Amino acid sequence: MRSGGPGGARLRRWVARARLTSLRTTFTVSFAAVAAAVTVLVGFLSYDAAARLVRVDQQTVFEGVVQDLLDEVRHSALTPADFATADTDGGPRDELIRPSGTVVQVLGPDASVVDRGHPPLPVGADDKRTAAARPAGQLVEHRDVDVGDGMYRVATVSLGDGRGAVQIAQEFSDTEDLLRELQQRTVLLVAAVVIAAGLFGWWLARRITSRLVRLAGAAEDVARTGRLGIQVPVAGYDEVARLGRSFDRMLGRLAQSEEDQRRLVQDAGHELRTPLTSLRTNISMLRRIDELPPAVRGELVADLAQESRELTDLVNELVDLAAGQSDREPLQRVALADIAEDVAVAARRRTGRAVTVRVSGDTVVDGRPGALQRALSNLVDNAAKFDRGGSEPIDIVVTGMGAPGASAGAGVGAAVRVEVLDRGPGIAEEDLERVFDRFYRAPDARSLPGSGLGLSIVREVAAAHGGDPFARRREGGGSAIGFMVGSGGSGRSGGGGEG
């Protein structure tokens, strides 16, 4: 069931807005997710590297202190008194404490505490055996020992000969506390960056999709009202702006096509009324044909034949003109000189007139042969119709201009000029600007057969091939009417032509 009326229109706008909002949300979430992933990765790697460096550095310092103590007790016969607190500066104890604030505790031969550390260090069974050990420099190392409110690394080194041992300890819990604080700050920074990225992504998505919303609104207005002249908002030079400009150009082309179709229907309806009225009148006379004199009867039949021919020609040209607006004939390499020869042969056979062809330069172009032949045939038929004396031949002049045209859209390889010359009555100056209009017929030509569509078809074909039609008066009388192919619309447009 289709929704109609204002309620249906509002529903469609809401659905479209919801879809755009979904796009905006998707963009925002995606932007925030990418920023979060990058920030988390950088934060994790930074924290891991910093923590590793701090721990390795702390461990290296402690191992250096232990190694110094080992070297000292192995090379010197030291006693617990040498590590007493009362030693002067520069003693063994001071050398142990100075590098890293190491805690030192001295054990006697029986593992009793001779000099208590600050804080006191625990003495285990291994430490007691080490204090009574005979070799000097025997090492016992403990990790993660809970001392008071902190965690310590503890190493016990024997003095040798059962003289006791020295315990040294290094606190690492304060370092871990520092690293945990760094970790918390990193998490907070990551969260702040993610929130900021989300807000920025939302702002950026709104900025981008706002133009899409306006563009979608314009499209909905076109679909709802059918009016193609709606102004499309275009701003900027990015992809959205290009889409807006392309949509605006598309609406312009559609509006122009609609206007051309409307004008064609109106003009065709106007032109069809005259022959149809005449035919209807003559057909009504056929009911009394037996009552008519032979001369009137013959005139009636001849008039019917003439009107039917003109109606047939008019319908055929209308079909050609309408088909020309959406011609799907493929482009191909075409020699206009060959087309001119074919048209000349057909014109000689049909009219009995002398038709000559003059060619110069390269006349090969990329074009649609059927449309080009139709346009050139219309020009020759127009010349034959108005040059009724027939004292001189009709000339077809095809001139290759050499340089490629500027019309990339038409796909034309080179500019070629096609011109048909006759010695008819010529063209009045006031008719020069209108001879290529649809259904226009000069006052002198209204008594002659024709639909007024022949030269308008020439204009359509020329425009489709990147060119323009032209018409001029010839010196000595007559007309020169033709068109350019591949000129990029630079041909001299204007009047001339009788019809």
Side-chain angles (χ1 to χ4, degrees):
M1 179 178 178
R2 300 179 59 185
S3 58
R10 284 194 296 271
L11 177 61
R12 288 191 294 271
R13 285 198 296 270
W14 182 86
V15 171
R17 190 177 297 110
R19 291 174 179 172
L20 287 170
T21 303
S22 178
L23 176 63
R24 182 181 301 170
T25 303
T26 301
F27 188 88
T28 303
V29 171
S30 300
F31 193 91
V34 171
V38 173
T39 306
V40 168
L41 180 62
V42 172
F44 171 78
L45 293 178
S46 300
Y47 170 79
D48 182 70
R52 188 183 301 274
L53 287 175
V54 170
R55 290 182 179 124
V56 168
D57 181 69
Q58 191 179 43
Q59 179 68 23
T60 301
V61 171
F62 183 72
E63 290 175 353
V65 172
V66 172
Q67 186 63 43
D68 291 342
L69 177 60
L70 289 173
D71 294 339
E72 192 169 7
V73 299
R74 286 170 182 171
H75 292 88
S76 302
L78 300 176
T79 64
D82 295 326
F83 294 93
T85 307
D87 283 351
T88 60
D89 292 343
R93 183 187 184 93
D94 186 61
E95 293 178 358
L96 295 178
I97 296 174
R98 186 180 300 167
S100 60
T102 307
V103 177
V104 177
Q105 181 169 279
V106 183
L107 302 179
D110 57 353
S112 61
V113 177
V114 176
D115 189 354
R116 192 175 302 279
H118 302 284
L121 302 178
V123 179
D126 293 337
D127 301 318
K128 294 178 180 179
R129 284 193 297 270
T130 301
R134 302 298 297 175
Q138 183 174 328
L139 175 66
V140 174
E141 188 172 355
H142 306 280
R143 293 181 180 271
D144 303 339
V145 177
D146 188 4
V147 180
D149 295 332
M151 298 296 293
Y152 286 76
R153 294 184 183 89
V154 179
T156 304
V157 177
S158 65
L159 297 176
D161 296 329
R163 291 192 297 269
V166 177
Q167 289 182 300
I168 56 177
Q170 181 188 49
E171 184 179 9
F172 64 88
S173 57
D174 55 348
T175 303
E176 295 299 324
D177 292 341
L178 178 64
L179 292 178
R180 277 193 294 272
E181 184 178 356
L182 177 62
Q183 186 180 45
Q184 293 173 357
R185 292 187 178 184
T186 303
V187 171
L188 292 177
L189 178 62
V190 168
V193 170
V194 170
I195 294 174
L199 293 176
F200 179 75
W202 176 82
W203 173 81
L204 186 61
R206 183 177 181 182
R207 181 180 176 86
I208 294 175
T209 57
S210 60
R211 290 183 291 165
L212 289 176
V213 170
R214 292 194 295 269
L215 187 59
E220 290 169 358
D221 290 340
V222 172
R224 184 176 64 256
T225 64
R227 294 186 293 108
L228 300 176
I230 292 177
Q231 184 67 30
V232 178
V234 177
Y237 300 95
D238 56 6
E239 287 78 3
V240 178
R242 289 171 52 195
L243 175 63
R245 279 189 286 270
S246 299
F247 185 68
D248 189 47
R249 286 194 296 268
M250 180 188 70
L251 289 182
R253 293 286 297 273
L254 289 174
Q256 183 61 43
S257 177
E258 186 181 61
E259 175 62 21
D260 291 342
Q261 292 178 2
R262 185 189 62 79
R263 191 154 44 87
L264 177 62
V265 171
Q266 289 179 348
D267 293 343
H270 175 74
E271 292 297 322
L272 285 171
R273 288 191 186 97
T274 300
L276 288 175
T277 301
S278 178
L279 280 174
R280 188 164 56 247
T281 302
N282 290 333
I283 291 173
S284 66
M285 293 290 294
L286 288 177
R287 299 175 181 175
R288 298 186 297 111
I289 192 171
D290 294 336
E291 304 173 6
L292 300 176
V296 176
R297 189 183 308 169
E299 182 179 351
L300 175 61
V301 173
D303 192 41
L304 281 171
Q306 178 66 25
E307 292 290 345
S308 63
R309 282 194 299 270
E310 290 191 11
L311 183 59
T312 300
D313 293 340
L314 177 59
V315 171
N316 289 336
E317 290 184 339
L318 281 172
V319 172
D320 290 339
L321 188 61
Q325 294 176 347
S326 59
D327 197 353
R328 293 297 182 266
E329 185 180 8
L331 287 172
Q332 54 186 284
R333 300 296 287 175
V334 179
L336 282 175
D338 295 340
I339 292 180
E341 291 290 352
D342 294 340
V343 170
V345 170
R348 294 186 195 108
R349 182 177 62 252
R350 187 170 59 250
T351 65
R353 294 288 304 278
V355 181
T356 63
V357 178
R358 300 202 303 266
V359 179
S360 62
D362 183 10
T363 65
V364 178
V365 298
D366 294 337
R368 298 177 174 88
L372 292 171
Q373 185 169 359
R374 176 64 173 169
L376 189 51
S377 297
N378 286 356
L379 292 177
V380 174
D381 291 343
N382 184 77
K385 180 171 63 175
F386 289 95
D387 186 6
R388 286 166 289 178
S391 58
E392 294 187 22
I394 297 172
D395 295 327
I396 303 176
V397 181
V398 184
T399 307
M401 311 302 289
S407 176
V412 180
V416 179
R417 180 185 179 93
V418 181
E419 192 172 26
V420 176
L421 309 176
D422 65 66
R423 287 297 181 182
I427 308 164
E429 292 291 338
E430 61 271 16
D431 296 329
L432 286 175
E433 298 295 330
R434 300 192 58 191
V435 292
F436 292 103
D437 293 344
R438 292 174 182 170
F439 300 108
Y440 179 76
R441 304 179 71 187
D444 295 340
R446 290 172 185 169
S447 60
L448 299 176
S451 63
L453 288 174
L455 294 186
S456 65
I457 293 176
V458 173
R459 181 185 63 184
E460 298 287 342
V461 172
H465 288 78
D468 283 327
F470 59 87
R472 60 182 174 83
R473 296 173 62 89
R474 292 183 67 189
E475 294 183 4
S479 303
I481 308 177
F483 59 92
M484 296 288 294
V485 172
S487 64
S490 60
R492 183 168 58 88
S493 178
E498 301 90 348

